[in-house]
Amino acid sequence: MQQEFTLGIEEEYLLVDRDSLELAEAPAALMEACQADFEGQVSPEFLQCQIEVGTRPHVTISSAREDLKRLRSCVSKRAAEHNLAPIAVSCHPFADWKKQTHTRKDRYDALQHALGGVARRMLICGMHVHIGVADAALRADLIPQLSYFLPHLLALSTSSPYWNGEDTGLSSYRLTVFDNLPRTGLPPVFSGWSEYERTTGILVELGVIEDTTKIWWDLRPSHQYPTLETRIMDVQPRLEHALSLAAMVQALTRMLCRLKDRNLRWRQYDRFLIGENRWRAQRYGVGEGMIDFGDRSIKPMPELMGELMGLLAEDAEALGTMSELAKLQQIAQNGTSATRQRRVHAEAAAKGDDPGKAVVQHLIDEFHQDL
């Protein structure tokens, strides 16, 4: 079994005006200052109100924590110089997507042209976690096994209940928007790396896509790095919750590799069944439990997390991430960002305050909680 499972974390943030709490475009000076502070780790995103950060590869969560903390602090400090604040949330509670403009770069101009009106609604932010898996054949083998756990990661990460000023009734409305794009959703099942290359290569050869960066599955092999990239999660307002989710992806990958060394593997379930859990996570977050296909029952998320903690104990101990996984048990018990946002919204409405603005201020406060 490979000895190290490096991880990298990418996050997308929205920028808001500190006074109005509405979305604001990133000034060129803000981007230039952030890029000067962290060359290659901060970049513009598709919409001008977005900014993206990415950590370096790290062997441990503790070193990833320091990197991500510095990145969040940098964006916050530079944004404050322009009376702006970042929020790490997958949908702004009351912004109008029709009023947003995309960043004028060749890459984003081409994306706008390729996707048409679908691209205009992309007022969403996500969190991506890369785990280093050096062997390409192993990456292909792990994809259908790791896919089983994608709904669990989504449920624990949900942070987008509001869209265009309305409560959608969903815990992750972001995924509803994202699924309108082509080449999204659960990854297909491939017999091996050669089939993956042959299948995706058809689209590249025909000029349908430039390369596999235009494939946006919930889990994919990275085009640039020897990693598996988990993309299903909503972005996290709290730094420590982002790190805990990354730790779970890392531990799951190690666990599956450990099983392989013993000539074992996680059972491969039909994408139809996994898709049902994906929907439950999207709709309910951690509130209504998930289907355990092994014993054909719906189990509450606290119970499922307890089972996962037992399953991943050896791996979390080896990786030094037991405390991070324990935080996910608390999320399963107490609720996600979507839960907290709805609580703040209800409390503000009861007091006669503007509930949408109260939620945005809450998100600003949570962004800075662990910095």
Side-chain angles (χ1 to χ4, degrees), residues 178-198:
F178 197 70
D179 282 348
N180 282 283
L181 272 63
R183 303 177 294 278
T184 56
L186 293 168
V189 177
F190 299 105
S191 61
W193 186 254
S194 60
E195 185 186 7
Y196 164 76
E197 288 193 309
R198 184 169 59 251

Side-chain angles (χ1 to χ4, degrees), residues 37 236 272:
D37 290 340
Q236 296 303 288
F272 170 74

Side-chain angles (χ1 to χ4, degrees), residues 7-9 38-41 54-59 64 67 70-71:
L7 73 153
I9 303 169
F38 287 91
E39 183 178 357
Q41 289 187 260
T55 70
R56 304 292 189 194
H58 295 277
V59 175
D67 196 357
R70 285 194 297 267
L71 286 166

Side-chain angles (χ1 to χ4, degrees), residues 81 98 106 178 184 241 308 333:
E81 294 170 358
K98 293 185 286 295
D106 289 346
F178 197 70
T184 56
H241 290 172
L308 275 174
Q333 185 69 47

Side-chain angles (χ1 to χ4, degrees), residues 1-266:
M1 185 173 76
Q2 65 180 54
Q3 297 304 304
E4 293 184 344
F5 293 84
T6 57
L7 73 153
I9 303 169
E10 298 170 349
E11 293 185 320
E12 299 160 349
Y13 309 141
L14 295 169
L15 294 170
V16 299
D17 181 89
R18 286 180 175 268
D19 297 323
S20 68
L21 302 178
E22 295 180 355
L23 289 177
E25 294 183 358
L30 166 60
M31 292 305 309
E32 290 167 3
C34 288
Q35 289 170 336
D37 290 340
F38 287 91
E39 183 178 357
Q41 289 187 260
V42 182
S43 61
E45 246 299 325
F46 178 67
L47 294 178
Q48 291 185 339
C49 58
Q50 292 175 300
I51 188 168
E52 181 179 9
V53 304
T55 70
R56 304 292 189 194
H58 295 277
V59 175
T60 66
I61 281 290
S62 60
S63 60
R65 173 180 287 106
E66 294 308 309
D67 196 357
L68 190 58
K69 186 184 237 183
R70 285 194 297 267
L71 286 166
R72 284 194 173 209
S73 297
C74 167
V75 173
S76 177
K77 174 185 173 183
R78 294 304 187 183
E81 294 170 358
H82 301 273
N83 198 41
L84 304 177
I87 54 174
V89 66
S90 283
C91 293
H92 187 282
F94 60 84
D96 186 348
W97 59 268
K98 293 185 286 295
K99 295 180 180 179
Q100 309 308 314
T101 55
H102 77 274
T103 302
R104 297 315 301 264
K105 293 177 63 175
D106 289 346
R107 173 189 173 193
Y108 296 132
D109 288 345
L111 193 62
Q112 174 76 48
H113 175 75
L115 298 177
V118 172
R120 291 196 61 212
R121 299 179 68 240
M122 291 293 290
L123 185 56
I124 55 175
C125 294
M127 167 188 171
H128 307 157
V129 176
H130 290 257
I131 303 296
V133 180
D135 182 70
L138 179 57
R139 292 200 291 276
D141 187 51
L142 289 175
I143 286 174
Q145 300 179 73
L146 195 52
S147 291
Y148 176 86
F149 301 98
L150 292 174
H152 302 71
L153 292 164
L154 174 62
L156 292 162
S157 73
T158 50
S159 73
S160 49
Y162 296 103
W163 178 257
N164 211 30
E166 296 183 359
D167 189 329
T168 65
L170 276 67
S171 295
S172 175
Y173 193 74
R174 160 189 155 265
L175 216 58
T176 302
V177 177
F178 197 70
D179 282 348
N180 282 283
L181 272 63
R183 303 177 294 278
T184 56
L186 293 168
V189 177
F190 299 105
S191 61
W193 186 254
S194 60
E195 185 186 7
Y196 164 76
E197 288 193 309
R198 184 169 59 251
T199 303
T200 58
I202 292 173
L203 299 187
V204 177
E205 290 168 11
L206 293 174
V208 175
I209 56 176
E210 179 184 355
D211 53 45
T212 55
T213 62
K214 300 302 187 296
I215 294 173
W216 300 299
W217 299 323
D218 297 338
L219 172 67
R220 70 179 184 185
S222 171
H223 176 76
Q224 296 175 289
Y225 311 110
T227 65
L228 283 177
E229 180 186 5
T230 303
R231 303 168 48 84
I232 196 170
M233 292 171 286
D234 278 6
V235 68
Q236 296 303 288
R238 296 181 182 176
L239 170 71
E240 288 301 325
H241 290 172
L243 292 162
S244 290
L245 287 163
M248 182 172 171
V249 179
Q250 186 188 39
L252 284 167
T253 307
R254 187 185 188 280
M255 179 270 293
L256 294 173
C257 289
R258 176 167 53 84
L259 288 180
K260 184 176 178 63
D261 274 9
R262 296 164 55 192
N263 203 29
L264 299 171
R265 61 183 291 114
W266 196 259

Side-chain angles (χ1 to χ4, degrees), residues 321-337:
T321 57
M322 288 295 291
S323 61
E324 281 76 18
L325 295 191
K327 291 185 179 72
L328 297 180
Q329 280 191 301
Q330 296 171 10
I331 291 175
Q333 185 69 47
N334 301 324
T336 66
S337 171

Side-chain angles (χ1 to χ4, degrees), residues 222-369:
S222 171
H223 176 76
Q224 296 175 289
Y225 311 110
T227 65
L228 283 177
E229 180 186 5
T230 303
R231 303 168 48 84
I232 196 170
M233 292 171 286
D234 278 6
V235 68
Q236 296 303 288
R238 296 181 182 176
L239 170 71
E240 288 301 325
H241 290 172
L243 292 162
S244 290
L245 287 163
M248 182 172 171
V249 179
Q250 186 188 39
L252 284 167
T253 307
R254 187 185 188 280
M255 179 270 293
L256 294 173
C257 289
R258 176 167 53 84
L259 288 180
K260 184 176 178 63
D261 274 9
R262 296 164 55 192
N263 203 29
L264 299 171
R265 61 183 291 114
W266 196 259
R267 179 175 174 181
Q268 184 174 312
Y269 288 92
D270 192 280
R271 291 173 77 249
F272 170 74
L273 295 176
I274 299 174
E276 190 63 29
N277 265 348
R278 184 181 188 268
W279 162 247
R280 292 185 66 84
Q282 184 180 350
R283 172 67 174 86
Y284 302 115
V286 298
E288 294 293 330
M290 318 244 341
I291 304 170
D292 183 323
F293 300 117
D295 63 10
R296 299 193 178 188
S297 66
I298 296 175
K299 291 185 177 179
M301 280 302 294
E303 181 179 346
L304 283 175
M305 273 309 302
E307 293 178 356
L308 275 174
M309 285 289 288
L311 182 70
L312 299 174
E314 178 180 336
D315 308 284
E317 184 175 353
L319 295 166
T321 57
M322 288 295 291
S323 61
E324 281 76 18
L325 295 191
K327 291 185 179 72
L328 297 180
Q329 280 191 301
Q330 296 171 10
I331 291 175
Q333 185 69 47
N334 301 324
T336 66
S337 171
T339 312
R340 299 193 300 276
Q341 288 178 54
R342 286 187 167 119
R343 184 183 306 126
V344 169
H345 192 283
E347 291 171 352
K351 293 189 294 185
D353 296 335
D354 185 317
K357 290 186 175 181
V359 173
V360 177
Q361 186 58 58
H362 157 78
L363 293 168
I364 293 173
D365 294 341
E366 286 210 332
F367 186 94
H368 295 90
Q369 179 172 304

